[in-house]
């Protein structure tokens, strides 16, 4: 193959190439260090006459230039073609972008905002009471003296100095009564602690929400109204509720508040434990002795207390099966809210 044949072959091959890797192969074959053009150039010194060597050098370099031009031209063609293909096929300008990861409000915090808003509109003021509490505020002043059998209702964590991790938010009741004069409308949404084995429905740490209302002529009718108003706001307008007699030492009478199971509408299902109803809140009229302990005359005033477990309420509302999800900070759970 002489130089002219090699040039013709190179230009024909380059014209046929359909991809950039193939083009690179062709470039190496002809213009690479061991390529055909260099082989011709390496043979020049063997020519005997000076003027032939000069002529051959000029000619081969011209061929080299032609091949380079053809390679460059093909390279541009191929790159433009691949850009057009990307345009048409894989690059969709209307596709949604990749959203950056953002945090979200914890479901319990969100619920707390909702509950707080609802009761603020009804005139209740949010209050706080100590988590680490004197025995008398947690128990004694709420009609639960030491050695009273009803203390067994609460498995309590005690400190060596005799204080307790409060077992309920009701420790705020006597504290607030002593600070204020009726009418008293206060609420609290906060953590409580019990000596419990942890399982899907129990935790050593949980939340309670509680309202206390003390005024003249506070009645069971008002309790019923308040309870239904809130439960309908949370569980839906169609929610049906019922009051059952229930014993709490600091109320008289005491009631357990049940809501009709929204999943089976009373027929009984796995979620409500075949009961058809959920016990969802506890309430009652404040015991006259507790009013007295708070410095309020039970002959002049009466009061109501009403509360529920927000963890449990959310579990029912959202169909969450395990209370531990609220406290373990697992992003797979939290990102769903
Ligand atoms: Zn059910």
């Amino acid at each position: 193959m002489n130089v002219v044949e090699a040039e013709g072959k190179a230009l024909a091959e380059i014209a046929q190439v359909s991809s950039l890797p193939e083009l690179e192969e062709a470039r190496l074959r002809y213009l690479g260090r061991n390529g055909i053009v260099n082989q011709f150039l390496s043979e020049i010194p063997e020519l005997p006459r000076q003027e032939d060597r000069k002529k051959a050098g000029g000619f081969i370099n011209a061929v080299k230039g032609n091949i380079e031009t053809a390679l460059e031209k093909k390279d541009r063609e191929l790159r433009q073609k691949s850009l057009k293909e990307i345009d048409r096929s894989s690059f969709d300008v209307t596709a949604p972008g990749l959203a950056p990861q953002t945090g979200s409000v914890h479901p319990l915090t969100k619920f707390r905002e909702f509950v707080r808003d609802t009761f603020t509109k009804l005139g209740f003021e949010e209050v706080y009471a100590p988590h680490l509490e004197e025995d008398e505020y947690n128990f004694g002043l709420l009609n639960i003296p030491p050695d009273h059998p009803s203390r067994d209702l609460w498995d309590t964590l005690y400190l060596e100095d005799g204080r307790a991790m409060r077992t309920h938010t009701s420790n705020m009741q006597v504290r607030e009564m002593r600070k204020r004069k009726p009418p008293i409308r206060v609420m609290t949404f906060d953590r409580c602690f019990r000596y419990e084995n942890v399982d899907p429905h129990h935790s050593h740490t949980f939340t309670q929400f509680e309202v206390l209302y003390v005024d003249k002529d506070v009645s069971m009718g008002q309790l019923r109204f308040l309870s239904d108003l809130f439960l309908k706001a949370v569980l839906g307008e169609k929610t049906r509720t019922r009051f059952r007699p229930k014993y709490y030492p600091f109320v008289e009478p005491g009631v357990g508040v049940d809501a009709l199971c929204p999943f089976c509408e009373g027929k009984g299902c796995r979620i409500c434990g075949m009961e058809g109803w959920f016990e969802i809140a506890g309430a009652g009229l404040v015991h006259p002795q507790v009013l007295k302990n708070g410095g309020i005359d039970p002959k002049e005033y009466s009061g109501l207390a009403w509360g529920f477990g927000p963890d449990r309420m959310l579990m029912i509302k959202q169909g969450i099966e395990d209370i531990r999800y609220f406290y373990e900070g697992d992003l797979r759970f939290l990102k769903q809210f």
Side-chain angles (χ1 to χ4, degrees):
M1 184 164 65
N2 63 32
V3 177
V4 176
E5 283 168 352
E7 183 187 24
K9 193 159 177 270
L11 296 178
E13 270 182 40
I14 290 166
Q16 295 291 314
V17 161
S18 61
S19 74
L20 287 168
E22 281 176 52
L23 190 67
E24 178 61 10
E25 279 172 29
R27 193 186 67 78
L28 288 172
R29 197 154 55 244
Y30 291 98
L31 301 185
R33 203 147 52 87
N34 301 313
I36 291 165
V37 170
N38 269 349
Q39 279 170 30
F40 284 122
L41 287 172
S42 69
E43 286 164 16
I44 291 175
E46 289 163 27
L47 292 171
R49 291 185 353 185
Q50 159 77 21
E51 59 182 89
D52 286 347
R53 290 199 290 270
K54 208 176 158 193
K55 237 162 112 185
F59 187 68
I60 295 169
N61 274 325
V63 167
K64 189 180 172 184
N66 290 342
I67 297 174
E68 272 171 354
T69 307
L71 285 167
E72 278 164 22
K73 192 174 157 229
K74 192 67 180 183
D75 185 81
R76 272 199 304 277
E77 264 176 48
L78 290 173
R79 285 180 197 278
Q80 271 175 5
K81 194 172 143 223
S82 69
L83 270 180
K84 272 182 202 155
E85 270 165 11
I86 287 172
D87 263 347
R88 277 200 214 98
S89 58
S90 59
F91 190 73
D92 179 0
V93 290
T94 64
L98 295 175
Q101 291 208 353
T102 53
S104 57
V105 178
H106 191 283
L108 214 48
T109 308
K110 214 182 270 180
F111 191 48
R112 178 183 175 150
E113 298 293 320
F114 171 79
V115 174
R116 192 191 262 155
D117 282 357
T118 307
F119 281 89
T120 301
K121 283 176 199 153
L122 294 169
F124 287 86
E125 180 190 335
E126 188 167 26
V127 296
Y128 302 90
H131 288 182
L132 201 53
E133 184 58 291
E134 308 293 334
D135 191 83
E136 56 170 356
Y137 284 110
N138 196 75
F139 289 123
L141 295 168
L142 293 174
N143 252 359
I144 318 164
D147 307 322
H148 192 277
S150 71
R151 282 212 181 192
D152 293 345
L153 292 173
W154 297 274
D155 292 312
T156 310
L157 293 156
Y158 284 101
L159 266 71
E160 282 175 358
D161 66 9
R163 285 182 299 171
M165 298 290 283
R166 68 165 179 195
T167 54
H168 45 204
T169 46
S170 306
N171 66 327
M172 67 91 165
Q173 289 191 9
V174 172
R175 284 179 175 277
E176 293 302 321
M177 284 188 236
R178 286 181 173 181
K179 269 190 241 169
R180 295 161 189 263
K181 287 201 174 359
I184 297 169
R185 286 188 207 90
V186 290
M187 62 172 155
T188 194
F189 187 125
D190 211 339
R191 290 192 171 190
C192 309
F193 312 91
R194 287 187 197 170
Y195 185 55
E196 291 258 18
N197 280 325
V198 175
D199 70 26
H201 297 284
H202 300 91
S203 173
H204 46 72
T205 303
F206 57 98
T207 49
Q208 274 193 347
F209 173 77
E210 175 167 346
V211 298
L212 174 70
Y213 173 38
V214 180
D215 203 351
K216 285 183 174 152
D217 303 321
V218 172
S219 69
M220 285 298 279
Q222 286 166 329
L223 180 60
R224 178 86 211 194
F225 169 79
L226 195 71
S227 179
D228 272 11
L229 185 80
F230 179 75
L231 293 177
K232 283 184 176 181
V234 174
L235 301 172
E237 254 329 288
K238 285 185 189 156
T239 303
R240 280 178 54 205
T241 59
R242 69 180 184 192
F243 275 15
R244 267 179 309 106
K246 188 160 182 192
Y247 172 71
Y248 300 102
F250 36 90
V251 287
E252 179 57 41
V255 291
V257 183
D258 294 347
L260 194 70
C261 173
F263 301 100
C264 65
E265 294 184 334
K267 289 186 197 83
C269 68
R270 197 174 58 86
I271 297 169
C272 60
M274 303 314 289
E275 293 286 329
W277 295 82
F278 284 111
E279 184 179 343
I280 205 156
L285 294 185
V286 180
H287 196 287
Q289 185 58 48
V290 176
L291 288 174
K292 251 187 236 171
N293 294 342
I296 288 162
D297 181 359
K299 290 198 190 81
E300 199 179 343
Y301 294 101
S302 51
L304 65 81
W306 181 88
F308 66 87
D311 311 297
R312 187 173 161 73
M313 182 93 73
L314 262 190
M315 286 167 77
I316 294 167
K317 186 174 156 59
Q318 311 265 19
I320 295 162
E321 285 173 351
D322 197 321
I323 191 172
R324 290 171 288 192
Y325 290 143
F326 290 124
Y327 298 102
E328 287 179 347
D330 187 333
L331 287 177
R332 288 171 301 179
F333 169 74
L334 296 174
K335 275 185 174 172
Q336 297 172 46
F337 296 89

